[in-house]
Amino acid sequence: MSVIDEIMRKDSSTWIDSQIIALPDRGKFRASSALRSLQWANGIFDAGMPIPACFCALHATEEAVAAFVSCAKECGYDEAKKINIKDHMAKATVSLLAQKVSGILFHYQVAVALNVETQTLAARYIVDGETHYTEASTKLFHFRDHEAQIMPDFYDEVVNMFGDVAELKKAVKIGQEARNAIFYASSDGYPTGFDDPSESLARECQLTLGLIWGAIDLTKNAGQKIPFIEQALVTANRVIAELKR
């Protein structure tokens, strides 16, 4: 049994799966495809082929990115309309940002579980030593400046995580080429895959679920713009623009 199977058996994962049906078609089909790719990855891993399993898991994340961006477009986020979901570089950028945001949330010790009574996801997080419990939503978090004003994006924060723009570009390029690097040899050597396939499977599974949950959340809140979603989309477009220079 792969780590994907363990993650997908959780109540919160089952809930996310059950909510996909309510997404607009262009998001629903891609989100369903993402979970199907995770199922394939799980089965391929159990058959003793971890590297092809990682390929399917990476594809799942790309499909989840497409689902998230598609739902944002449907909900009227102007910045989402600038993102081409057929562009692997753009999808790699959104995927990388999602990964970095999850790292930021780690500092707040965020935990998510299914509230059986309300059939919604509940979140627990800690701020300044105080524990908070509330319904999970992307509305809970956003970036503010030193004057407590909501910032238009968190581009500078992302660049600082990598040290400089060059390292950020390098990270996106690695993500963009990851699937091909698994299978294709180059002039410099053979494809090697991942040192720890299980770690890759867990990361892609969690990213996929997180992106689909984001699509579900912004769709449920259609009619109001969520500051964090707007910040994330603006940041993604700034990174994409930098990569195209």
Side-chain angles (χ1 to χ4, degrees), residues 130-150:
E130 183 177 351
T131 302
H132 302 266
Y133 297 91
T134 187
E135 183 176 343
S137 175
T138 51
K139 293 185 289 186
L140 295 176
F141 302 98
H142 44 262
F143 290 80
R144 293 181 179 271
D145 61 21
H146 297 300
E147 297 179 353
Q149 298 297 309
I150 294 178

Side-chain angles (χ1 to χ4, degrees), residues 15 112-123 134-136 220:
W15 181 87
V112 176
L114 179 66
N115 184 327
V116 179
E117 293 182 1
T118 62
Q119 283 299 302
T120 58
L121 291 187
T134 187
E135 183 176 343
K220 284 180 176 291

Side-chain angles (χ1 to χ4, degrees), residues 155-192:
Y155 174 81
D156 290 338
E157 284 72 15
V158 171
V159 172
N160 288 336
M161 289 178 191
F162 290 92
D164 56 38
V165 174
E167 289 300 314
L168 171 57
K169 288 183 176 181
K170 186 185 299 183
V172 173
K173 185 176 181 181
I174 290 173
Q176 179 184 353
E177 298 175 351
R179 289 195 308 166
N180 288 341
I182 289 174
F183 280 145
Y184 291 99
S186 70
S187 300
D188 300 318
Y190 302 107
T192 57

Side-chain angles (χ1 to χ4, degrees), residues 196-215:
D196 187 348
S198 290
E199 181 180 327
S200 172
L201 292 178
R203 180 179 63 250
E204 301 308 324
C205 183
Q206 290 164 347
L207 279 175
T208 296
L209 289 171
L211 286 159
I212 294 174
W213 170 72

Side-chain angles (χ1 to χ4, degrees), residues 42-242:
N42 185 64
I44 293 169
F45 183 89
D46 287 345
M49 295 179 283
I51 302 307
C54 290
F55 180 93
C56 283
L58 285 165
H59 179 70
T61 302
E62 283 203 355
E63 286 284 74
V65 168
F68 172 78
V69 174
S70 294
C71 287
K73 290 180 179 181
E74 287 283 344
C75 291
Y77 288 84
D78 291 336
E79 289 292 325
K81 298 173 183 177
K82 300 177 184 178
I83 299 175
N84 180 4
I85 59 173
K86 295 182 180 180
D87 183 345
H88 286 290
M89 180 185 67
K91 288 190 285 189
T93 298
V94 176
S95 176
L96 182 65
L97 290 180
Q99 186 175 340
K100 289 303 176 183
V101 166
S102 66
I104 292 170
L105 295 182
F106 178 78
H107 295 293
Y108 296 97
Q109 300 180 47
V110 176
V112 176
L114 179 66
N115 184 327
V116 179
E117 293 182 1
T118 62
Q119 283 299 302
T120 58
L121 291 187
R124 183 214 69 199
Y125 59 98
I126 300 173
V127 178
D128 296 330
E130 183 177 351
T131 302
H132 302 266
Y133 297 91
T134 187
E135 183 176 343
S137 175
T138 51
K139 293 185 289 186
L140 295 176
F141 302 98
H142 44 262
F143 290 80
R144 293 181 179 271
D145 61 21
H146 297 300
E147 297 179 353
Q149 298 297 309
I150 294 178
M151 298 164 57
D153 59 66
F154 50 91
Y155 174 81
D156 290 338
E157 284 72 15
V158 171
V159 172
N160 288 336
M161 289 178 191
F162 290 92
D164 56 38
V165 174
E167 289 300 314
L168 171 57
K169 288 183 176 181
K170 186 185 299 183
V172 173
K173 185 176 181 181
I174 290 173
Q176 179 184 353
E177 298 175 351
R179 289 195 308 166
N180 288 341
I182 289 174
F183 280 145
Y184 291 99
S186 70
S187 300
D188 300 318
Y190 302 107
T192 57
F194 292 95
D195 293 333
D196 187 348
S198 290
E199 181 180 327
S200 172
L201 292 178
R203 180 179 63 250
E204 301 308 324
C205 183
Q206 290 164 347
L207 279 175
T208 296
L209 289 171
L211 286 159
I212 294 174
W213 170 72
I216 293 167
D217 190 55
L218 68 86
T219 301
K220 284 180 176 291
N221 289 281
Q224 59 173 305
K225 298 295 178 60
I226 300 173
F228 175 70
I229 298 295
E230 292 188 301
Q231 289 176 322
L233 293 169
V234 172
T235 302
N237 279 314
R238 287 193 63 182
V239 173
I240 292 169
E242 185 64 43

